Amino acid sequence: GAGVSQSPSNKVTEKGKDVELRCDPISGHTALYWYRQSLGQGLEFLIYFQGNSAPDKSGLPSDRFSAERTGGSVSTLTIQRTQQEDSAVYLCASSSGSGTQYNEQFFGPGTRLTVL
Amino acid sequence: AQSVAQPEDQVNVAEGNPLTVKCTYSVSGNPYLFWYVQYPNRGLQFLLKYITGDNLVKGSYGFEAEFNKSQTSFHLKKPSALVSDSALYFCAVRDPHAGNNRKLIWGLGTSLAVNP
């Protein structure tokens, strides 16, 4: 079975441009997470989707960041008017929603975003 | 407030020696605890988790971790380190009272270097 996939793997953009990052979770996983990891740093939680519930957006750093998850599967993270400090690796993870609430997260390979 | 601490930014150990990567947490009640590993230029991978039961949890690649409620710790251990264990290790905790929100609280990571 396929794991979590993310595209593009690398994205270089100019300051002020908008970017879209895509995540395809593992089929059947109801929970989806976005994180940001700056060079050599820990994980910064951005947003969490669980089934049809309202997403937990508490980690989004500014209103330039938004995310959606269509049909309970694919998710897109959008960064508007990118800034140099947005440069980081953006990680997506998914986990199953089998009724238990402690299933491990499966991570994608990440999208490395560079804002010039 | 819920939190996770990895008190050591870096751990150095000689190959063949036992290794310990420390993690302490602050969560009300009995936590769900996780260890993840990030190898160079690779995605995050799940290592092991503690939910309930035996305090000693065994995971992938010969790693184990011991849940210590009185010390609120969940240290990662391996009896004999390999050079290939060199990676970034993350501890994470989930508040069991968080309802349907499966969001994890992540430590900042510990860089493990195993020297030949």
Side-chain angles (χ1 to χ4, degrees):
Chain A
V4 178
S5 61
Q6 292 185 246
S7 61
S9 56
N10 281 283
K11 177 71 176 178
V12 180
T13 190
E14 294 179 348
K15 178 181 174 181
K17 296 287 181 68
D18 298 350
V19 295
E20 284 190 352
L21 311 180
R22 177 187 169 102
C23 173
D24 280 274
I26 292 173
S27 178
H29 279 190
T30 59
L32 187 147
Y33 311 77
W34 282 98
Y35 297 93
R36 180 167 69 176
Q37 185 176 29
S38 300
L39 185 62
Q41 300 299 309
L43 293 174
E44 177 186 4
F45 167 78
L46 297 177
I47 188 169
Y48 158 64
F49 296 90
Q50 173 57 52
N52 295 321
S53 302
D56 178 349
K57 303 180 182 180
S58 60
L60 294 178
S62 77
D63 58 7
R64 295 187 295 106
F65 288 72
S66 63
E68 61 178 22
R69 188 179 186 191
T70 54
S73 180
V74 171
S75 178
T76 302
L77 176 69
T78 301
I79 309 173
Q80 296 178 310
R81 305 181 302 282
T82 53
Q83 304 294 313
Q84 289 183 330
E85 59 263 30
D86 299 334
S87 297
V89 175
Y90 289 81
L91 296 170
C92 176
S94 70
S95 67
S96 66
S98 62
T100 59
Q101 299 186 24
Y102 41 79
N103 294 318
E104 57 267 33
Q105 297 179 22
F106 293 83
F107 283 80
T111 293
R112 183 175 298 278
L113 175 66
T114 303
V115 182
L116 302 177
Chain B
Q2 307 157 44
S3 65
V4 174
Q6 293 182 242
E8 301 156 319
D9 291 337
Q10 178 144 355
V11 171
N12 294 293
V13 63
E15 186 175 30
N17 283 1
L19 71 86
T20 299
V21 183
K22 296 179 180 177
C23 173
T24 59
Y25 64 89
S26 175
V27 171
S28 59
N30 293 320
Y32 302 148
L33 293 154
F34 301 79
W35 276 103
Y36 285 79
V37 59
Q38 188 174 35
Y39 296 104
N41 300 314
R42 290 169 60 181
L44 273 158
Q45 299 176 32
F46 168 77
L47 267 182
L48 51 78
K49 65 184 176 186
Y50 171 82
I51 304 302
T52 187
D54 194 344
N55 289 343
L56 185 64
V57 178
K58 295 188 182 298
S60 307
Y61 313 121
F63 283 92
E64 58 188 28
E66 185 169 12
F67 171 61
N68 188 318
K69 186 174 182 178
S70 64
Q71 297 186 2
T72 62
S73 68
F74 189 56
H75 301 333
L76 182 70
K77 300 181 179 183
K78 187 172 182 180
S80 178
L82 300 173
V83 173
S84 57
D85 292 330
S86 299
L88 190 57
Y89 291 81
F90 292 95
C91 180
V93 64
R94 182 183 174 277
D95 185 344
H97 302 297
N100 288 325
N101 191 323
R102 294 175 173 77
K103 186 173 71 176
L104 296 178
I105 308 300
W106 293 81
L108 295 180
T110 298
S111 179
L112 172 67
V114 181
N115 307 306

